[in-house]
Amino acid sequence: MIDNDLRHNGAAPPASPLLVRELLANPLAAADAATLFDRAVPGTLRRFVAGMSEGPAPPRDSGSARIPLADLLDPFLGELAEAQRVLRAAMRGRAFDARALASQLQDDLPSLDRLQGVAARFDPALLRRATALFLDATARFARALREGGARIEFPEEGARFESAIGSVVIGTRGNDAHGPGAAVIIDPGGNDTYRRMPAVNGAISVIVDLGGDDRYHGSDVAVHGLSAIIDFSGNDDYDMAGPGLGAAIAGASVVVDFSGDDRYSAELFGQGAAAFGLGAIVDLAGNDIYRLRAGGQGFGLAEGVGLLWDRAGNDTYIVAGLVDVYGRGGGLSWAQGAAFGYRTRLGGGIGILRDDGGDDRYEAEMYAQGAGYYYALGLLWDRGGADHYHAVRYAQGAGVHEAVGVLRDESGDDRYRLDVGVGQGMGLDLAVGVLFDAMGDDRYEASLLAQGTATANGIGLAFDGGGDDRWRVEDTGRAWGRAEWARGLPSLGLLVYDPAHAAFARGEETISPPVEAARFGGPFGDAPVRHEPASARRCPDSTAPAMGSSLPLPDALRSLAPAFAGGKFDPLVYADVQRRLTARLGESLAGLPQGDFDVTWSLGEALRCAAAGATAAEVPAMWDAMERVLAAEPGTPFAGAIAGALRERLPPPPQMERILAALNANPDCGVRAAALRLRGATVGNEASRVAAVREAQSALRAPCWRLQASALTVLKQLGGVPADRGALPSFLRGAF
């Protein structure tokens, strides 16, 4: 159903991962974490990790010849030079201001404008080629150093020289302090300190440290650069004051730590974060601690793969969050297997956190622990151990707005807690959310909209494969297999469990569902179908001083969006927007950016309020402006907002006919479905009723199911009988 809707309501936005689109068409495949991982993570990196995880090669004969470091280093430098050449060739046109983007990451995650600039300036195929060359070369060099071991000859006093890619520094076996700027640093041992700086504008930055308890600090991010830190041993401290640690935009950045109890900390965009490239941390052993402000620990933006892969140990992952202007109970974490796209403008990436063993603790706030937002895939895959997951909202297997979010835990007695909800196998608005726990005695806690539920035609799956389990929510309205229909089409919630080993509670009240209820997808899976109620208008009194607001209309609409979603209105801004939409609607629409979701959504709410509140003398001018806009551009992105306003106040029949004709010319099925419902609302006599029934009967044969659902609604409203049920999908045949 999701696939049908997306195919008939506009193309996928730029930078949308093909894998996400495939999963939206085949949602159950989202539970296969191993396949998702293999498809998303470059094979070069997977093979590198597999080879390093096997342990070093057997020691050579004690009489084996010594190996001059130059014999290994010189070929490596040549391979890096080729990777750099390809990376620089990936840039198109005038110079790209990578330093400005790296600077922005000190204070916020990458903006839409910045990412669109990257998309326009770089060839993605060449970026991928440069990444593959870089990873292959670095993997070969690291393996050679590991296998060579003590036979490799390092200069006693260290060394520094220039190469085709920049300065090369050879450290000592003592405690060295390495500053930024070198292209390659090789250090044979000691407790060393590295001061990092962003790798930008085609730069190479590689550190290979063979031993010691080391400290890395500064700001470590690659923006149109190639960066790697390979640390062979020691309890290391990675402390970034800004972005970094496996973080890249238009390039690649990889951190591989072989052993030790390590500490990782960063601010924004770090610990496995990427856009238009690859950002990865791989930690092979040790009890590690990861701390982040927001945007990382496996975070993907447009055409980026962000990966945090911890192979062993009892690990702790902690993320705070950015301020949420909507006030939904926590901060915006965007972490621990999360990915994000900008709605209607730019698709998201792929974010993965994979932990292969140990008793782990995951702490975050919103959009975390297997969360995808708008043509994006977020995956948290824990392969063993007794784990604790705690977040606030939109987490633990949450797909939001045409995206996929997956949390899969393979074994152990686990604890899942959401302070608010909207997760634990929850799909919101044509999205897929999956929480899959294969075995163990588990506990699940949330407040609402959780544990196998969905809204607005999403799909939510919570699956528990075994053990004695406890499920608790505060509100069972949409939980445990319940999901209400919307837009005349189903949402699907599934809770798969063993009824002999599952206990359910609503707050402190024990619920005892019939054993056979499990066959229907949850304790309430066999309940009668319910439809989500239409959203009510939030239209405060628009009386305010005549001076108006100084904000441009797009900014004013953006500022009102949180209020329309349930927050507090600024009366001055709201009144000014209402005046502009009522008195100068055509001029107002002409000045709005097209494709900006926040503006368009807020406009829809504000225009409904303006139409409802306009006087009899004011509303004809609004209808005329709507007609002119639709006639000039039937495909306008504001058509949905106009259709919503018309539901509040219908124009005279002749004008309504012209407007409906323009709406029916819109390429998006959702707009045409709204036009059909408006047609049903305009019936005033038998002739118009017959015409509306005829149009609805024709729509039953449309390939778009949303239009078919609207046709059924109109027929039921007007007393018609569907003439061609065979053209309907099975779930609509019995819905009349």
Side-chain angles (χ1 to χ4, degrees):
M1 192 210 68
I2 296 174
D3 178 60
N4 180 275
D5 196 280
L6 296 183
R7 282 191 287 110
H8 292 95
N9 281 287
S16 300
L18 176 62
L19 178 58
V20 172
R21 192 64 186 83
E22 292 177 2
L23 293 173
L24 292 173
N26 184 18
L28 289 182
D32 185 356
T35 296
L36 302 186
F37 185 86
D38 287 347
R39 289 193 59 187
V41 177
T44 300
L45 181 59
R46 289 186 281 111
R47 291 188 293 272
F48 178 26
V49 174
M52 291 301 185
S53 300
E54 294 171 356
R60 300 283 186 93
D61 183 333
S62 59
S64 297
R66 306 288 290 174
I67 305 173
L69 178 61
D71 288 357
L72 306 179
L73 184 56
D74 289 347
F76 179 47
L77 295 176
E79 292 172 326
L80 291 181
E82 175 60 14
Q84 184 180 62
R85 184 193 66 79
V86 176
L87 177 70
R88 288 175 170 169
M91 189 174 67
R92 300 179 289 221
R94 66 185 186 280
F96 176 74
D97 193 350
R99 293 192 183 279
L101 179 50
S103 178
Q104 183 196 40
L105 297 176
Q106 297 284 342
D107 303 311
D108 204 352
L109 297 177
S111 67
L112 172 62
D113 290 344
R114 295 283 189 186
L115 291 179
Q116 287 179 319
V118 174
R121 302 301 309 287
F122 289 94
D123 183 316
L126 287 178
L127 288 176
R128 290 191 293 270
R129 175 63 177 158
T131 295
L133 290 170
F134 178 69
L135 291 178
D136 279 336
T138 305
R140 279 192 294 270
F141 184 62
R143 280 195 297 268
L145 288 175
R146 197 178 190 206
E147 292 171 2
R151 296 182 302 118
I152 299 175
E153 295 179 333
F154 282 85
E156 288 298 324
E157 301 298 325
R160 183 184 186 100
F161 61 90
E162 296 301 313
S163 74
I165 61 170
S167 299
V168 178
V169 174
I170 312 299
T172 73
R173 299 186 187 280
N175 301 333
D176 299 322
H178 297 286
V184 176
I185 301 174
I186 314 296
D187 194 288
N191 301 327
D192 305 310
T193 299
Y194 297 89
R195 185 160 64 89
R196 304 290 286 150
M197 63 184 295
V200 299
N201 297 323
I204 299 282
S205 178
V206 175
I207 295 173
V208 182
D209 188 286
L210 303 185
D213 300 335
D214 306 307
R215 181 171 184 248
Y216 302 84
H217 67 103
S219 177
D220 178 89
V221 63
V223 180
H224 189 213
L226 299 170
S227 175
I229 297 175
I230 312 295
D231 191 294
F232 278 58
S233 67
N235 300 321
D236 304 308
D237 189 356
Y238 300 87
D239 183 11
M240 297 293 110
L245 296 174
I249 297 176
S253 179
V254 178
V255 176
V256 180
D257 189 291
F258 282 77
S259 65
D261 298 335
D262 306 307
R263 298 174 301 279
Y264 300 85
S265 65
E267 282 292 307
L268 298 171
F269 200 71
Q271 299 179 9
F276 301 102
L278 171 69
I281 288 183
V282 182
D283 190 293
L284 299 180
N287 302 322
D288 307 306
I289 298 175
Y290 302 86
R291 294 182 181 274
L292 180 75
R293 182 181 170 198
Q297 295 183 4
F299 175 53
L301 289 169
E303 288 190 8
V305 175
L307 169 67
L308 198 171
W309 184 1
D310 192 294
R311 297 300 307 273
N314 301 323
D315 306 306
T316 300
Y317 305 88
I318 299 174
V319 182
L322 302 173
V323 173
D324 175 36
V325 298
Y326 288 87
R328 291 168 289 187
L332 304 173
S333 295
W334 298 118
Q336 297 176 2
F340 169 79
Y342 286 90
R343 288 183 74 180
T344 71
R345 308 288 289 277
L346 197 66
I350 298 175
I352 301 175
L353 195 167
R354 169 175 167 173
D355 188 293
D356 287 344
D359 300 335
D360 308 307
R361 179 165 68 96
Y362 302 89
E363 295 279 349
E365 297 189 23
M366 294 201 301
Y367 295 108
Q369 299 171 6
Y373 185 100
Y374 194 62
Y375 284 94
L377 166 63
L379 168 65
L380 196 168
W381 183 22
D382 189 293
R383 299 183 63 208
D387 307 306
H388 287 245
Y389 303 89
H390 175 219
V392 174
R393 189 176 186 138
Y394 302 115
Q396 298 173 10
V400 182
H401 303 307
E402 301 107 311
V404 181
V406 182
L407 193 168
R408 177 164 179 140
D409 189 295
E410 302 292 356
S411 65
D413 300 337
D414 306 309
R415 302 292 181 267
Y416 303 88
R417 181 161 68 91
L418 288 178
D419 292 345
V420 176
V422 198
Q424 294 182 356
M426 198 279 176
L428 187 158
D429 186 24
L430 300 166
V432 176
V434 177
L435 171 57
F436 189 109
D437 189 293
M439 63 179 70
D441 299 337
D442 307 308
R443 303 290 182 270
Y444 305 87
E445 297 182 31
S447 180
L448 49 83
L449 291 169
Q451 300 176 13
T453 189
T455 62
N457 313 128
I459 295 178
L461 167 65
F463 179 100
D464 191 286
D468 293 321
D469 306 308
R470 301 291 182 268
W471 304 83
R472 185 175 72 82
V473 297
E474 298 296 329
D475 181 358
T476 59
R478 277 177 288 191
W480 301 346
R482 278 181 166 167
E484 298 174 357
W485 285 42
R487 307 180 181 110
L489 297 169
S491 308
L492 178 62
L494 292 173
L495 174 57
V496 181
Y497 63 99
D498 180 354
H501 296 276
F504 295 89
R506 177 175 54 222
E508 301 304 318
E509 175 192 2
T510 298
I511 304 292
S512 300
V515 172
E516 62 269 19
R519 295 190 299 113
F520 296 97
F524 304 114
D526 58 343
V529 167
R530 297 189 305 182
H531 291 254
E532 296 176 24
S535 60
R537 281 186 284 107
R538 298 194 76 237
C539 302
D541 182 0
S542 62
T543 301
M547 66 185 74
S549 165
S550 61
L551 287 176
L553 184 57
D555 294 340
L557 288 168
R558 289 190 192 95
S559 74
L560 289 176
F564 284 123
K568 184 178 180 180
F569 283 93
D570 181 320
L572 193 67
V573 174
Y574 177 78
D576 182 58
V577 167
Q578 293 301 292
R579 279 193 291 269
R580 293 193 222 185
L581 296 182
T582 302
R584 304 191 304 275
L585 178 57
E587 175 188 336
S588 297
L589 294 181
L592 294 179
Q594 296 199 1
D596 187 315
F597 175 81
D598 292 334
V599 169
T600 302
W601 181 82
S602 186
L603 169 70
E605 299 300 306
L607 191 56
R608 288 173 63 193
C609 292
T615 67
E618 292 170 332
V619 74
M622 296 182 68
W623 291 328
D624 291 345
M626 294 178 193
E627 182 180 355
R628 287 193 298 271
V629 169
L630 291 171
E633 186 184 0
T636 172
F638 307 130
I642 291 173
L646 290 170
R647 287 198 297 271
E648 303 293 333
R649 299 282 287 274
L650 295 174
Q655 186 172 34
M656 189 64 180
E657 285 298 321
R658 297 191 299 271
I659 290 176
L660 288 175
L663 289 172
N664 279 322
N666 193 283
D668 281 3
C669 173
V671 173
R672 300 197 303 275
L676 183 57
R677 292 193 299 273
L678 283 170
R679 166 73 69 188
T682 62
V683 168
N685 54 42
E686 180 60 18
S688 61
R689 190 194 77 83
V690 170
V693 168
R694 184 169 55 248
E695 186 173 332
Q697 297 285 16
S698 177
L700 291 178
R701 297 185 293 275
C704 168
W705 294 345
R706 198 190 295 195
L707 188 56
Q708 291 180 327
S710 290
L712 290 176
T713 298
V714 170
L715 288 173
K716 187 174 183 178
Q717 172 188 338
L718 300 181
V721 177
D724 190 2
R725 293 181 186 269
L728 301 173
S730 58
F731 54 80
L732 284 180
R733 291 172 195 163
F736 188 79

